Amino acid sequence: MIFTNDKAIYLQMADRLCDEILSGAYKDDDRIPSVREYAVLLEVNTNTAVKAYDELSRANIIYNKRGLGYFVTPGAKKQILKERKREFMKERLPELFRQMQLLGITLEDVKDAYDAQQ
């Protein structure tokens, strides 16, 4: 995984695991890789992976079964979608609209570009 400088590594790791849940790689009550396995996979310090898992656990995205590992909380996908949509609408969309206005990009231009991606 290539990390960026705009967000803490443990948060980027948490985002990646959420992406994997959204994509269907992990479903409700599926076991996810252990902290050590995920740290090795992403080539980070185990403590960083622990922070990512703690963050997801606090957000009720994953839960720990003592001695068995971490699992996806039932309803986690729906919760992630809800939070990401809220974040997009509140934080990203206003900046997108501002840039569109500055550059003279219309909603029709965006629709055409979107359709071209399909």
Side-chain angles (χ1 to χ4, degrees), residues 30-47:
D30 278 356
R31 185 181 178 283
I32 61 173
S34 72
V35 169
R36 283 192 174 86
E37 290 168 340
Y38 215 56
V40 168
L41 177 69
L42 300 181
E43 300 176 347
V44 299
N45 185 294
T46 303
N47 292 332

Side-chain angles (χ1 to χ4, degrees), residues 7-82:
K7 191 184 245 188
I9 290 174
Y10 79 95
L11 292 175
Q12 292 177 65
M13 291 177 66
D15 285 346
R16 178 187 165 133
L17 197 48
C18 286
D19 289 347
E20 291 170 345
I21 292 169
L22 289 176
S23 74
Y26 303 111
K27 296 177 178 32
D28 288 355
D29 291 314
D30 278 356
R31 185 181 178 283
I32 61 173
S34 72
V35 169
R36 283 192 174 86
E37 290 168 340
Y38 215 56
V40 168
L41 177 69
L42 300 181
E43 300 176 347
V44 299
N45 185 294
T46 303
N47 292 332
T48 303
V50 167
K51 286 177 73 173
Y53 277 50
D54 285 347
E55 180 74 18
L56 292 172
S57 186
R58 275 192 301 278
N60 205 30
I61 301 298
I62 62 174
Y63 65 94
N64 188 359
K65 285 186 182 178
R66 191 169 181 89
L68 296 176
Y70 283 92
F71 296 80
V72 177
T73 302
K77 182 175 182 176
K78 185 177 179 181
Q79 183 179 337
I80 295 165
L81 281 171
K82 181 180 176 182

